[in-house]
Amino acid sequence: MTYRNNTLFIIPARGGSKGIPRKNIKPLRGKPLIHYSIEVARALSPDSHIIVSTDDDEIRSVAQATGLPVDYRRPPELGGDKVGSREVIIDAMDWADKNGIAYDKVVLLQPTSPLRTVDDVEGCLKLYTPDTDMVVTVTEAACNPYYDCFECSADGLLHVSKGDGRFTRRQDAPKAWQFNGAVYVINPDSIRRMPLGQFPRRIPYEMPRSRSVDLDTPLDWLITEKIMEDAN
């Protein structure tokens, strides 16, 4: 299925990266990291509805090497590591609005999730409805607040983050989820009204941990390379 003319795909790729320098264009298994997200977006959308949001000329050139036009340029003031996703998304939406690109939902595809698939994005899109704030990919949390996630009290002693600490087996505790960063399907009206973290109507789409690596450190990169090598 192609989500033509009603979905705006945004791929954010700023130039600065501390954990893995220049990671958005670093080669992963033979091609620049950002190409994986571009390929997924192009499988679902015409190029006119795909925006690569970057403040970096080299990233722009690498993205254009796929044949995708990169006409939008992120303002320099939105290129710092303290700028949130909301500001980046809204600026790209404003540009789309000014250029007559019609859409009723936004899909954010971060380049740092190269193991996401077209099916993952389609699965999220199928769950989305106009009265939803966001559909977001999740994976089961590595740390469960009812079982093995702890906080310190005022006197410095550990206590379980949630509940009374009576669960003795992890499988008996309520499941806990964490965002994996792979896919966000966002209601445009909602993000203009509030930050993503304040959305009250969020629907989860579960992905396995094996495809939920979010590239942030050199170790994440090595793990991803190994997963991709074993899959071939």
Side-chain angles (χ1 to χ4, degrees), residues 1-66:
M1 180 181 295
T2 302
Y3 294 84
R4 294 185 178 277
N5 303 324
N6 66 348
T7 305
L8 183 68
F9 286 78
I10 300 175
I11 301 172
R14 68 182 184 87
S17 175
K18 296 177 181 178
I20 306 173
R22 308 296 291 167
K23 66 181 175 184
N24 287 316
I25 55 175
K26 180 180 171 71
L28 176 66
R29 297 286 291 175
K31 60 185 172 184
L33 179 63
I34 196 172
H35 284 197
Y36 290 92
S37 295
I38 291 173
E39 289 171 0
V40 167
R42 294 181 95 183
L44 294 166
S45 171
D47 289 353
S48 62
H49 282 63
I50 301 172
I51 295 178
V52 172
S53 171
T54 186
D55 59 327
D56 186 282
D57 287 339
E58 188 179 10
I59 292 176
R60 187 168 181 263
S61 294
V62 171
Q64 287 176 320
T66 65

Side-chain angles (χ1 to χ4, degrees), residues 73-176:
R73 187 179 293 272
R74 187 192 299 189
E77 61 270 22
L78 295 182
D81 58 2
K82 294 183 179 179
V83 176
S85 296
R86 184 185 182 217
E87 293 85 355
V88 171
I89 294 168
I90 290 176
D91 192 76
M93 288 168 52
D94 287 344
W95 183 87
D97 294 343
K98 291 175 184 176
N99 285 273
I101 300 172
Y103 59 93
D104 58 18
K105 67 184 74 69
V106 173
V107 173
L108 184 71
L109 299 180
Q110 299 184 128
T112 48
S113 297
L115 301 179
R116 103 175 51 79
T117 66
V118 173
D119 287 344
D120 291 325
V121 182
E122 283 197 311
C124 290
L125 285 164
K126 289 174 182 176
L127 290 175
Y128 178 83
T129 60
D131 60 353
T132 301
D133 293 317
M134 178 170 69
V135 178
V136 60
T137 48
V138 301
T139 192
E140 189 169 357
C143 178
N144 190 305
Y146 290 93
Y147 179 67
D148 60 351
C149 184
F150 295 83
E151 301 173 22
C152 280
S153 59
D155 55 5
L157 299 177
L158 288 173
H159 63 89
V160 69
S161 291
K162 196 166 185 177
D164 54 17
R166 295 185 182 182
F167 290 106
T168 58
R169 300 191 314 159
R170 183 184 183 92
Q171 56 265 43
D172 293 333
K175 279 192 174 184

